[in-house]
Amino acid sequence: MTSGKGYSVWSAAVFITSFMAGMGVLALPRALSGTGWYGLILMSVACLNAWYSSVILGRMWIILEEKWEEYRVKFRYPYPAIGERAVGPWMRYIVTVSLHITLMGIGVVYVLLSAQIAQSMTQSLFSLDYNYWILIVAVILCPLSWFGRIEEFWFAAVGALATACLACISIFISMILQIPSMENVQYTGASFESASLSFGTILFAYSGVYMFPTIQNDMSDKQQINKATIISFIGILLIYLPVVVSGYAVWGSSVPVNILLAIKTGSLRSFIEACLALHIFLAFLLAVNPVAQEIEEVFNVKSSMIFDL
């Protein structure tokens, strides 16, 4: 995955895709029911907008490296540094606070979801309170979050991407299998309120742009970030679209908020839940890494990476 000087375009694309292609896909079929089939256009526009944001961020970091030498090495807080150079020192702290609140909030949600899925999967074997599952998941994740840069735990990105793909493929298969049993499927028109709610869900599905400067900073050739983002966003669409189209086509306007609820209890659903639990588990490590790196920088924690420059 990585080399002594950083990772390649394809490796960067895997990191980006593995983090962004997550739990948002479960709500997208319902979002499509709020917009009708025109929502597919909205999804494409939102994807294009997120990609363009990544392009701008990539250009900004290249400018920083060209103008200031201190950014030409492995840098632990690239996003706040962009804010500092663009506006002033005070903007660095605003970006830092916003970044930490967002990523730590995502991390908390991931822990809660992992605990919930773990409880659901094991309740037929033994009974354990949800609160205890939260503690168990947190204890397991804690030492795994002590890695330095995301280069050190590339297995998390590969695993998160693989489990997300397996879950989406399984959901798609489940929807196809339900076609013969579905009757009188209705597709109601979209209203302003439903379209507005759906738009928010669609935007959430493409959240994760804040990870791009961190990933770019660990690339061997930072000029190639645009290629990595193009590959990753194409991959995200390929993961999302089968689930979204099949879910809405099979269930119509009655598609549940969480597409998992449309899958009957059984081995296939258990497999999907296991994939999602592992995906969330691994994506947590990616989500908290930018926060951990900046905290390490504040406390002057030396990186042990053998390829530090």
Side-chain angles (χ1 to χ4, degrees):
M1 283 290 292
T2 63
S3 65
K5 296 182 180 180
Y7 41 79
S8 66
V9 170
W10 285 99
S11 299
V14 168
F15 277 100
I16 295 170
T17 309
S18 62
F19 182 74
M20 295 188 67
M23 299 303 293
V25 68
L26 298 179
L28 282 178
R30 180 64 179 182
L32 191 59
S33 72
T35 59
W37 290 110
Y38 294 105
L40 294 176
I41 299 176
L42 189 59
M43 284 183 56
S44 301
V45 171
C47 181
L48 184 62
N49 178 71
W51 171 76
Y52 180 71
S53 299
S54 70
V55 171
I56 298 301
L57 283 172
R59 290 177 181 174
M60 293 172 72
W61 185 253
I62 296 300
I63 291 174
L64 259 66
E65 287 195 349
E66 290 175 349
K67 290 183 175 291
W68 294 281
E69 292 185 4
E70 60 265 34
Y71 301 118
R72 298 172 188 171
V73 297
K74 299 290 183 180
F75 202 76
R76 282 174 164 170
Y77 54 96
Y79 212 142
I82 291 174
E84 180 180 9
R85 292 299 184 181
V87 181
W90 61 273
M91 181 55 71
R92 171 191 167 181
Y93 298 107
I94 291 180
V95 174
T96 294
V97 171
S98 300
L99 188 68
H100 285 209
I101 291 175
T102 300
L103 295 180
M104 291 306 296
I106 291 174
V108 170
V109 172
Y110 280 0
V111 171
L112 297 177
L113 287 174
S114 295
Q116 186 180 53
I117 295 176
Q119 184 190 38
S120 174
M121 292 174 57
T122 58
Q123 62 183 358
S124 61
L125 301 175
F126 58 88
S127 177
L128 186 63
D129 190 82
Y130 175 57
N131 296 329
Y132 290 114
W133 274 113
I134 295 175
L135 293 176
I136 292 172
V137 172
V139 168
I140 296 174
L141 284 172
C142 184
L144 295 177
S145 65
W146 295 342
F147 286 103
R149 300 186 181 92
I150 54 178
E151 289 175 313
E152 293 185 61
F153 52 97
W154 55 266
F155 60 87
V158 175
L161 179 58
T163 49
C165 290
L166 287 174
C168 289
I169 292 172
S170 300
I171 293 173
F172 175 71
I173 293 173
S174 176
M175 292 298 102
I176 298 300
L177 294 176
Q178 292 185 47
I179 291 178
S181 61
M182 301 302 294
E183 298 179 357
N184 300 322
V185 178
Q186 297 181 354
Y187 304 92
T188 58
S191 64
F192 178 78
E193 181 180 0
S194 65
S196 299
L197 293 173
S198 297
F199 182 64
T201 302
I202 291 172
L203 289 180
F204 172 77
Y206 293 106
S207 61
V209 178
Y210 36 77
M211 291 287 294
F212 290 0
T214 299
I215 294 173
Q216 180 184 13
N217 189 250
D218 286 331
M219 292 181 66
S220 58
D221 184 358
K222 301 177 180 64
Q223 300 277 357
Q224 301 296 315
I225 184 63
N226 289 349
K227 293 182 180 179
T229 55
I230 290 174
I231 295 170
S232 63
F233 278 105
I234 292 175
I236 290 168
L237 281 177
L238 292 176
I239 293 172
Y240 281 171
L241 288 178
V243 175
V244 176
V245 173
S246 63
Y248 181 54
V250 173
W251 284 83
S253 298
S254 62
V255 61
V257 175
N258 184 342
I259 193 63
L260 268 182
L261 300 177
I263 302 175
K264 296 179 181 179
T265 303
S267 57
L268 183 57
R269 178 166 173 172
S270 297
F271 176 75
I272 295 172
E273 289 178 336
C275 288
L276 291 175
L278 186 56
H279 169 80
I280 297 169
F281 191 89
L282 296 172
F284 171 86
L285 303 179
L286 302 177
V288 300
N289 184 258
V291 177
Q293 285 199 47
E294 189 165 2
I295 293 176
E296 288 176 353
E297 182 70 18
V298 171
F299 289 98
N300 295 317
V301 177
K302 181 176 176 58
S303 174
S304 60
M305 297 298 292
I306 60 174
F307 47 79
D308 277 351
L309 300 179

